[in-house]
Amino acid sequence: MNQVYHFFKLTFSVVFIWIISIHSNAQKQTPQRPNIVWIVMEDMSPQFYGAYGNTAANTPVIDSLINAGIRFDAAFSTGAVCSPSRYSIITGTRTNEYGTGHHRSNYPIPTSVKPFPHFLKNAGYHTSNNSKRDYNTSERWRITREAWVESSATAGWWNRTEDQPFFSVFNFNNSHQSRTFTNPYKNYKGRILDQLSPDERIADEAIILPDYYKDTPEMRRELARTYNALKKIDNEIDTLMNKLRKEKLVESTIIFIYSDHGGGGLRTKSKGIALGHQVPMVVITPPAYAHLNPFKNQKATSQPVTFEDLAPTILALAGLDAPDYMTGKAFLGEAPEAQQYAFTSADRCGEAYNLTRSVSDGRYYYTRSFYPNRPAYSYQKYFDYAASRQLIRSYHMQGQLNPIQAMPLQTKPTEMLYDLKEDTWQTNNLAANPKFRKVKKKLSKALDNKLRSAKDVLFLPECTLDSISKTTTPFEYKSSDAYEFEAIYDMASLVGTGDKSIKKQLQGLGNENPIVRYWAALGLSAQAKSDLSPFQSQLKNQLTDDFPPVRIQLAALLLSHFGDPDARAVLTSYIHHDNTYLSLQAVQEILYLPKSESVLFMEEIKKLQGKEGLSGLLSESIDMYRYLHEGRELVYKTHW
């Protein structure tokens, strides 16, 4: 009897130890908290991937990863260029609430706003960034210190301690616009094309050309750069994934793949339509973390997602609560939430001013443009330096473009509405189509409500934003009673609405609030000369306004419409103003004057170019002015 008892006791002990061993090994192989890897491609739209339907693409690795996860077909960057997008990604907050929407700007944010990897790091994660850090705020270096255990071109999970969970970001920059469009072809050839074997290269004649480009051998040669750059990235991602597999980390790692904004191109990057914001995005969740994925049996979803949602989502996957100031929603995790709409914004990019606000329900994309009299192809050195942009301007001058191809060279519509499912390259604007009146009304109302609740601080002229930032943060200013956004937005909403708004806009010039007066002047500048002729004297009387942005805007209007010599004198005085943003506003307005008026500022522009300590924004504007009026070659001494 004792022998039987001891036999069963020994057997039970062995089995118990075996079970504990299995459980221990399972825990070691699959940590309770997931590892997370971000694969971030630069400047790329979903239309260029095989998994999204592009039959000319050669991206087998990326396509296999996309097909292995859940594809987000309505994923949007909050900004249309890298630095505002990265600000929203790292903080989980919106640029138009914190004043961080102008590309490569340097305005402060509250010290209470922390980068989301800070919370992961405090929870024991190894956080690594490889390696972009353009967070678009004067707090850039604080954010870098607080976010990352390491941030460099050699950073990665491989530097963590044993069994430490990790969050690792990898940026792949060979699809950046500098490679695909802007830099000279020789530079692209050395960096991209020559790095691919002959059988990997996508031939010029094989690519799918967007409808808005004229199909010529020269354009195909330029646009094939995007396809080949993406192939090079496909190879680089393969190397990274092989390292994950070799270290047996795939089953314990949730992988995100996305782009930092829409494609690098002439009608995409920095533009307010969906082509500038819609990004490829996929999340691969291994079986061990299937409970964190609410899309278990789906290959794709049209649920709207923006970069505002990434920070709370990552924190949720790690079992952490998002701080209250984060306004996005976690779309993965134990308690995911769905957004009804995706809201996006585009502001100044380089020297070119812009202010568009957009919303999508996942199917339709509505955009409201608040800057009148500007084409989608604005005068901007970084873009006009590209051979493809110069080809397009040449074709246009020769009358060789069809209406769709010429559209980006015309004044932008005030409203745009595109069907993302049926209109791949977004060339059919449905905003004026009565069949889509209800869709437009629904999205327009949602956008209005969002902007009013957010008190969008980027409706301030940048000279004011800069001045405010010397004593407080834009966020704290817009949160105070000093920012009368309702009155400002009411006036801004009249921009581009036609002659029915002239009376209200003229009344707005007498408003006590200088920002209201500024938007009244902007709105009037979009009115036709014939409609403003009866009010010429009234407009001229306002040239003495004590708020410089109003004076500059009205001077440009009076000079453009009526050739007023006093208006010319006002613009001349502001060309040389010590405030960079007032000088920039004046030069930018001069760029868009009728050529017969614009060219008369040549000597003053040359004087400005000789000024010491000139900002890059002004230097680029001057280069564009002389390129347009003298045919002076656009030059960059270095290529990035």
Side-chain angles (χ1 to χ4, degrees):
M1 185 72 178
N2 285 339
Q3 288 179 333
V4 173
Y5 170 77
H6 285 299
F7 171 77
F8 279 109
K9 183 178 180 181
L10 179 62
T11 302
F12 176 79
S13 299
V14 170
V15 171
F16 180 76
I17 292 170
W18 177 67
I19 292 172
I20 292 296
S21 175
I22 290 175
H23 180 68
S24 176
N25 287 335
Q27 280 191 318
K28 190 171 183 180
Q29 291 173 6
T30 306
Q32 290 183 345
R33 292 179 294 176
N35 303 314
I36 302 168
V37 164
W38 276 7
I39 294 173
V40 185
M41 298 165 286
E42 300 210 9
D43 299 20
M44 195 52 61
S45 296
Q47 288 91 333
F48 291 99
Y49 296 85
Y52 281 87
N54 190 315
T55 55
N58 184 12
T59 51
V61 174
I62 297 172
D63 292 343
S64 67
L65 292 172
I66 291 174
N67 292 329
I70 173 69
R71 192 181 73 227
F72 291 85
D73 288 343
F76 302 94
S77 60
T78 42
V81 67
C82 58
S83 65
S85 289
R86 291 180 195 279
Y87 169 81
S88 287
I89 290 169
I90 198 70
T91 64
T93 63
R94 302 192 68 83
T95 58
N96 61 337
E97 292 192 49
Y98 285 79
T100 51
H102 298 309
H103 185 37
R104 299 273 158 74
S105 55
N106 203 38
Y107 302 120
I109 60 174
T111 55
S112 58
V113 174
K114 304 291 184 183
F116 79 87
H118 167 78
F119 303 104
L120 295 173
K121 188 168 68 170
N122 286 352
Y125 271 76
H126 180 88
T127 58
S128 63
N129 178 46
N130 189 331
S131 61
K132 268 209 164 182
R133 298 185 294 265
D134 51 347
Y135 299 132
N136 214 42
T137 170
S138 60
E139 297 289 304
R140 170 188 173 189
W141 294 113
R142 171 180 69 82
I143 286 174
T144 300
R145 289 192 304 271
E146 291 178 346
W148 308 113
V149 173
E150 53 173 344
S151 180
S152 72
T154 60
W157 71 76
W158 43 83
N159 296 320
R160 76 195 192 284
T161 59
E162 187 177 0
D163 295 333
Q164 184 182 13
F166 60 83
F167 171 62
S168 291
V169 177
F170 298 91
N171 292 282
F172 292 87
N173 60 12
N174 274 317
S175 57
H176 189 267
Q177 179 166 320
S178 56
R179 275 75 153 172
T180 60
F181 276 89
T182 303
N183 289 348
Y185 192 88
K186 180 180 178 181
N187 182 282
Y188 149 78
K189 186 175 182 297
R191 287 187 176 189
I192 304 296
L193 198 61
D194 290 348
Q195 307 302 314
L196 300 175
S197 63
D199 62 315
E200 289 179 318
R201 297 172 187 169
I202 295 91
D204 299 353
E205 59 272 16
I207 69 169
I208 295 173
L209 206 68
D211 301 341
Y212 48 82
Y213 290 137
K214 180 177 173 60
D215 193 345
T216 67
E218 293 79 11
M219 282 299 292
R220 283 186 168 273
R221 180 175 185 260
E222 290 299 318
L223 296 171
R225 293 165 60 159
T226 296
Y227 287 81
N228 286 304
L230 198 50
K231 174 56 188 172
K232 187 171 190 308
I233 282 182
D234 196 65
N235 294 344
E236 293 166 351
I237 291 174
D238 192 33
T239 300
L240 180 69
M241 288 302 301
N242 284 335
K243 187 171 180 63
L244 266 178
R245 295 185 188 102
K246 184 178 180 181
E247 297 184 22
K248 296 181 171 53
L249 291 169
V250 172
E251 291 304 314
S252 60
T253 303
I254 297 175
I255 300 171
F256 286 66
I257 304 169
Y258 68 94
S259 174
D260 63 344
H261 52 76
L266 305 184
R267 194 172 167 255
T268 49
K269 185 172 182 173
S270 83
K271 309 302 183 287
I273 61 174
L275 286 171
H277 292 279
Q278 191 173 16
V279 298
M281 182 180 286
V282 65
V283 180
I284 303 169
T285 308
Y289 302 108
H291 62 288
L292 300 176
N293 176 17
F295 307 99
K296 291 180 179 62
N297 299 316
Q298 296 176 245
K299 298 302 293 179
T301 176
S302 59
Q303 176 182 313
V305 168
T306 75
F307 287 175
E308 180 185 18
D309 302 319
L310 285 174
T313 297
I314 298 302
L315 294 178
L317 290 175
L320 302 173
D321 293 330
D324 291 341
Y325 60 77
M326 290 185 183
T327 51
K329 293 182 178 180
F331 54 87
L332 301 170
E334 298 280 4
E337 296 181 82
Q339 294 275 26
Q340 183 179 6
Y341 298 111
F343 296 96
T344 64
S345 56
D347 299 285
R348 177 179 57 73
C349 178
E351 72 273 26
Y353 277 106
N354 188 19
L355 199 159
T356 61
R357 298 294 181 261
S358 305
V359 58
S360 177
D361 60 3
R363 169 70 183 269
Y364 296 97
Y365 195 90
Y366 171 80
T367 296
R368 177 71 162 87
S369 176
F370 291 91
Y371 263 56
N373 304 336
R374 294 287 190 272
Y377 291 169
S378 57
Y379 296 136
Q380 188 174 354
K381 182 180 176 181
Y382 180 71
F383 287 84
D384 278 277
Y385 178 71
S388 49
R389 174 68 70 84
Q390 294 180 24
L391 283 168
I392 288 172
R393 292 207 189 278
S394 172
Y395 297 149
H396 186 241
M397 289 179 65
Q398 297 169 37
Q400 296 180 8
L401 300 181
N402 66 34
I404 288 177
Q405 294 160 359
M407 180 175 58
L409 293 152
Q410 314 302 325
T411 301
K412 283 184 295 188
T414 303
E415 294 180 294
M416 289 166 275
L417 178 67
Y418 293 107
D419 183 341
L420 302 183
K421 184 177 179 180
E422 300 296 333
D423 188 5
T424 301
W425 299 110
Q426 294 152 45
T427 58
N428 183 21
N429 184 4
L430 303 171
N433 189 325
K435 292 182 180 179
F436 296 90
R437 185 180 293 114
K438 288 184 179 179
V439 174
K440 188 180 83 167
K441 183 178 180 181
K442 178 189 75 168
L443 294 177
S444 175
K445 183 178 180 180
L447 182 62
D448 276 348
N449 291 340
K450 181 68 172 180
L451 295 179
R452 289 183 189 277
S453 64
K455 294 183 69 177
D456 192 321
V457 75
L458 292 173
F459 277 75
L460 292 172
E462 194 164 7
C463 65
T464 305
L465 190 70
D466 180 63
S467 177
I468 286 167
S469 296
K470 289 177 170 53
T471 57
T472 187
T473 69
F475 177 80
E476 289 164 314
Y477 173 78
K478 75 99 183 177
S479 301
S480 72
D481 292 338
Y483 189 42
E484 299 174 345
F485 184 72
E486 286 291 328
I488 292 167
Y489 186 64
D490 284 345
M491 187 56 64
S493 296
L494 299 179
V495 171
T497 56
D499 60 356
K500 65 182 181 181
S501 300
I502 289 178
K503 184 177 179 180
K504 288 184 178 179
Q505 289 166 337
L506 288 170
Q507 290 172 346
L509 291 178
N511 195 284
E512 291 183 357
N513 188 314
I515 313 302
V516 173
R517 299 200 303 274
Y518 168 72
W519 279 103
L522 260 176
L524 287 164
S525 70
Q527 301 288 358
K529 175 182 177 179
S530 57
D531 293 327
L532 289 181
S533 291
F535 310 105
Q536 184 177 348
S537 296
Q538 185 177 347
L539 291 169
K540 185 165 182 175
N541 289 339
Q542 298 298 322
L543 273 181
T544 58
D545 193 291
D546 61 3
F547 189 50
V550 174
R551 294 190 72 200
I552 294 169
Q553 201 62 49
L554 288 177
L557 184 162
L558 287 164
L559 192 53
S560 175
H561 285 9
F562 308 113
D564 190 294
D566 292 335
R568 187 178 298 113
V570 169
L571 285 179
T572 299
S573 68
Y574 280 105
I575 287 174
H576 302 290
H577 201 282
D578 289 338
N579 185 297
T580 291
Y581 298 107
L582 292 176
S583 179
L584 178 65
Q585 184 188 351
V587 175
Q588 282 290 308
E589 290 299 328
I590 289 167
L591 275 174
Y592 292 94
L593 290 173
K595 190 169 185 177
S596 59
E597 287 291 348
S598 182
V599 73
L600 297 178
F601 289 90
M602 180 64 72
E603 292 307 312
E604 299 301 329
I605 295 293
K606 287 181 178 179
K607 288 179 187 176
L608 178 63
Q609 193 165 31
K611 186 177 178 180
E612 287 188 17
L614 203 63
S615 75
L617 300 176
L618 281 169
S619 294
E620 303 265 286
S621 298
I622 292 168
D623 287 346
M624 271 308 302
Y625 177 88
R626 299 191 68 178
Y627 168 72
L628 291 171
H629 294 305
E630 295 181 312
R632 194 170 186 239
E633 184 182 4
L634 295 173
V635 174
Y636 282 109
K637 293 181 180 179
T638 58
H639 298 114
W640 47 97

